[in-house]
Amino acid sequence: MMVKEITIISGKGGCGKTTIAASFMALAKNLVIVDADVDAADVHLLMQPQIKSKEIFNGLNVAKKNDELCINCGKCYENCRYGAFDPDNTLHPEKCEGCAVCEMVCPVNAIQMVKRNAGEAYISDTRFGPMVHAKLHAGEEASGKLVALVRQNAKNVAKETGKDLIIIDGPPGIGCTVIASLTGVNLVLVVIEPSLSGIHDSMRAIKVARHFNIPVLVCINKYDINEENTKNILKFCDDEGIEVVGKIAYDDTATKAMMDEKTVVEYSDGPMSQAIKEIWQQIEKVLI
Amino acid sequence: MKLKKITIASGKGGTGKTTIAVNLAMSIDNAMLIDCDVEGPNSHIFFKEPMIKLKDVSIPAPVFDLDICTLCEKCADFCQYNAISILGEKLLFFEELCHGCGGCKIICPVNAITEKDHHIGIIEKGGNKKLAIYHGLLNIGEPFGVPIIRELKGFADDSKTTIFDSPPGTACPAVEAIRDSDYCILVTEPTPFGLHDLTLSVDVVREIGTPFGVVINRDGIGDDRVEKYCKEQNIPLLAKIPNDINIARLYSKGIPIVEGMPEYKTMFAGIYKSIMELI
């Protein structure tokens, strides 16, 4: 069976990505849950996953210098493009991007690239099925690589357990983690908040999805905080041939459900819950 | 101690970083604003003046002379980012994976590799006489914004107080924005997501070693868990901004709070004052 993947992004943070994605995860049948926001993951707060397996994620290697061997020739400083070496050849590992040029140019083998434990990846169980997630250690590089690992784990879990759907809660922005969370998926849902910032950033998110040739759907969250902007979004989507699968009104149910550590659709059957359910029905039609 | 560089950061997106950065910069004397969220810069939306392009940002990328290349694979083996691969008689280069380290050029035994500029984004300047703003824009499809953030930081004027608006998260772009600052303001919401992501940010700023305090935004939507956490951890609580629908409406239209509701100016100026007293 073909496994379908959908990623939820928004460009700007705080537009309701995780609130909406977690509700989809509660509504969908036979799925694997994925949190791809590895440097600020929140889905687990609503899913209370029981961790079944854990693996260490090694990011890019990091330079390690043996000062006893170092002859202060300055080659590492001259060739490092990331400012990880001072002119006196002192190494700042936190600035190292793992390129290994210093190791190559060092004439006395005083520098070695060593493994860097950059995070952990988990496979867990939740009340809605298996969940795949991760935690990047504070301030680490290579978050895109960790997202790629998480997505590979999700595919493996789907295959092993016969799931036919993977729902991915994506990270904010348009950089490496976003790219890693959407390449090759069947569908991207862009959640837009009708503030000028929300619109600005979501336009960039739509462009990234299109850049990688992924079909895009849009839903508007908190549409009533600025109905004029909402109209503009609807017009833009119409002009661009992007389907708008629904609008959700501003509703403090989202916060209340979060305080109760539940998804919106579990917490209440009110208007927000209804709106999300209708959106999910629309998405299912497109996905199948 | 001089307080020249203040970064506004948060683990979770959408907590109000930009709101605080813009309004703080507008409430203190002799300030400038640098928006380091090159994936989704928003500070400029609160200025009437247009942003004008200052410069292009590029990183070096290899160019392969296939007439000289012997397909020895040394570059492909060396590249830590898997940006080069040799498939049969063909050399494939994945430009978007390249970090521009220059290692392939050094290791190539036949000098088949030179370098060209690979354009990853731009830097723009805007604002007015009272408050200048700089921001960067990462090109669509480019994964790494850190080189743009590095260049942006260079525009900080030492004779002014520079407010840096950080990208969300706790990974390398946020670290680059926070590093070299004299103080970091972590913005959060009084909710489970807000608290969780705040704890991640606290780990990051503690590791970098930057002094920091917390601003709670949308105070009233959740509970007192963030305040309790700050007390337990001995983290100064610099301000609480109420959950006011008027603030959200102004925000949606791109109007700074201190313009739409000038009574808030004292509060933002107060944040700066509290930091000065703490340091």
Side-chain angles (χ1 to χ4, degrees):
Chain A
M1 198 192 310
M2 260 289 280
V3 181
K4 300 277 173 107
E5 291 178 286
I6 173 171
T7 303
I8 294 103
I9 57 170
S10 63
K12 179 171 148 45
C15 296
K17 260 191 319 291
T18 302
T19 296
I20 293 168
S23 282
F24 292 166
M25 291 161 181
L27 292 168
K29 301 281 177 291
N30 205 33
L31 87 159
V32 178
I33 294 168
V34 176
D35 192 343
D37 191 0
V38 294
D39 64 311
D42 284 332
V43 178
H44 66 280
L45 298 171
L46 305 177
M47 298 292 173
Q48 298 87 31
Q50 301 291 314
I51 294 174
K52 295 286 167 195
S53 74
K54 188 157 101 172
E55 67 179 296
I56 301 285
F57 166 68
N58 289 312
L60 291 161
N61 290 345
V62 61
K64 197 179 163 202
K65 186 160 155 268
N66 182 339
D67 287 327
E68 281 173 27
L69 295 177
C70 175
I71 52 166
N72 278 315
C73 69
K75 287 226 161 78
C76 50
Y77 165 70
E78 281 162 30
N79 285 284
C80 176
R81 292 184 173 170
Y82 309 110
F85 291 92
D86 286 341
D88 69 355
N89 304 312
T90 307
L91 170 64
H92 298 276
E94 74 279 5
K95 292 190 179 178
C96 172
E97 289 198 16
C99 73
V101 164
C102 55
E103 182 191 46
M104 171 178 40
V105 298
C106 177
V108 291
N109 292 322
I111 299 171
Q112 254 194 321
M113 299 305 291
V114 295
K115 274 194 181 145
R116 151 148 76 185
N117 172 355
E120 283 176 351
Y122 313 102
I123 296 173
S124 304
D125 270 343
T126 74
R127 59 192 178 282
F128 305 112
M131 170 166 169
V132 175
H133 49 131
K135 184 178 191 294
L136 189 76
H137 292 327
E140 279 295 341
E141 308 258 352
S143 38
K145 209 174 151 190
L146 181 54
V147 173
L149 172 67
V150 164
R151 284 194 54 201
Q152 190 52 51
N153 285 348
K155 282 181 196 160
N156 296 345
V157 169
K159 209 171 166 188
E160 284 158 19
T161 56
K163 306 293 182 193
D164 51 20
L165 176 66
I166 297 174
I167 300 184
I168 303 166
D169 184 22
I174 60 158
C176 66
T177 51
V178 173
I179 293 171
S181 73
L182 59 72
T183 43
V185 302
N186 302 83
L187 195 60
V188 162
L189 176 73
V190 178
V191 177
I192 308 183
E193 170 199 280
S195 62
L196 292 179
S197 324
I199 294 172
H200 178 265
D201 293 353
S202 60
M203 292 302 128
R204 287 166 67 77
I206 290 171
K207 282 184 192 159
V208 171
R210 290 188 150 183
H211 181 87
F212 292 98
N213 296 315
I214 320 272
V216 176
L217 298 177
V218 155
C219 90
I220 306 174
N221 192 22
K222 310 175 202 171
Y223 77 86
D224 49 345
I225 61 164
N226 192 322
E227 306 225 19
E228 180 89 38
N229 287 347
T230 293
K231 262 188 222 156
N232 293 336
I233 297 168
L234 290 171
K235 185 176 181 307
F236 167 84
C237 290
D238 194 40
D239 291 348
E240 291 283 318
I242 300 170
E243 187 185 346
V244 179
V245 285
K247 292 192 300 185
I248 304 168
Y250 178 82
D251 191 328
D252 64 358
T253 306
T255 312
K256 284 183 183 154
M258 190 204 293
M259 299 304 293
D260 213 28
E261 298 176 6
K262 288 195 178 90
T263 64
V264 168
V265 291
E266 289 172 282
Y267 179 81
S268 117
D269 208 26
M272 182 169 199
S273 192
Q274 291 305 324
I276 294 175
K277 283 177 187 168
E278 279 164 31
I279 292 169
W280 180 242
Q281 282 173 2
Q282 295 291 316
I283 293 172
E284 272 188 316
K285 275 187 217 153
V286 179
L287 264 179
I288 293 162
Chain B
M1 175 175 168
K2 270 191 177 171
L3 194 55
K4 285 295 168 203
K5 293 174 179 170
I6 305 174
T7 299
I8 322 295
S10 81
K12 180 169 156 30
T15 53
K17 274 183 303 299
T18 300
T19 298
I20 290 168
V22 169
N23 287 287
L24 182 62
M26 288 179 174
S27 304
I28 56 181
D29 294 330
N30 198 26
M32 65 184 285
L33 184 58
I34 298 185
D35 189 343
C36 294
D37 188 356
V38 301
E39 296 180 35
N42 289 147
S43 299
H44 67 284
I45 290 169
F46 299 88
F47 290 79
K48 290 175 199 81
E49 300 81 4
M51 298 296 289
I52 292 156
K53 183 175 154 183
L54 263 188
K55 65 175 295 188
D56 292 297
V57 181
S58 301
I59 59 169
V63 181
F64 303 86
D65 187 335
L66 298 176
D67 292 334
I68 305 174
C69 172
T70 61
L71 298 172
C72 73
E73 295 196 34
K74 284 211 167 114
C75 56
D77 288 343
F78 175 78
C79 180
Q80 305 293 307
Y81 312 111
N82 303 315
I84 309 169
S85 87
I86 311 282
L87 261 184
E89 294 289 293
K90 235 178 154 174
L91 181 145
L92 300 173
F93 174 55
F94 305 97
E95 194 158 49
E96 66 285 353
L97 295 179
C98 174
H99 284 227
C101 73
C104 53
K105 184 182 160 200
I106 302 173
I107 208 161
C108 178
V110 294
N111 292 323
I113 301 176
T114 50
E115 285 185 315
K116 61 157 191 188
D117 283 343
H118 170 59
H119 191 252
I120 60 164
I122 59 169
I123 288 176
E124 296 183 320
K125 185 189 173 182
N128 45 50
K129 263 188 200 153
K130 201 168 171 280
L131 182 61
I133 165 175
Y134 293 80
H135 77 184
L137 282 163
L138 180 68
N139 288 347
I140 302 294
E142 282 298 333
F144 309 114
V146 170
I148 305 178
I149 302 176
R150 264 191 222 123
E151 285 213 27
L152 265 174
K153 284 165 71 180
F155 287 99
D157 177 345
D158 278 346
S159 69
K160 292 180 188 293
T161 301
T162 309
I163 309 293
F164 295 92
D165 188 4
S166 165
T170 60
C172 31
V175 172
E176 187 60 43
I178 298 167
R179 196 188 279 149
D180 310 318
S181 280
D182 303 316
Y183 198 85
C184 181
I185 298 176
L186 297 177
V187 188
T188 192
E189 289 174 2
T191 63
F193 286 10
L195 174 61
H196 175 260
D197 297 349
L198 172 66
T199 61
L200 301 175
S201 301
V202 166
D203 287 347
V204 172
V205 279
R206 283 197 173 141
E207 195 158 311
I208 300 172
T210 313
F212 66 100
V214 165
V215 170
I216 298 177
N217 193 14
R218 298 195 193 96
D219 186 41
I221 60 164
D223 59 15
D224 62 352
R225 64 182 79 200
V226 170
E227 256 187 280
K228 275 190 182 152
Y229 165 81
C230 290
K231 250 188 213 132
E232 275 164 29
Q233 294 281 321
N234 248 328
I235 299 167
L237 183 58
L238 303 168
K240 292 196 274 185
I241 302 176
N243 182 42
D244 183 338
I245 184 76
N246 294 319
I247 294 182
R249 291 219 171 95
L250 288 173
Y251 180 83
S252 78
K253 293 183 224 164
I255 301 171
I257 303 176
V258 294
E259 250 172 52
M261 296 190 272
E263 64 271 25
Y264 274 96
K265 207 161 181 170
T266 332
M267 193 204 72
F268 284 104
I271 293 176
Y272 183 76
K273 235 176 99 186
S274 321
I275 298 172
M276 290 301 277
E277 280 163 13
L278 280 165
I279 288 191

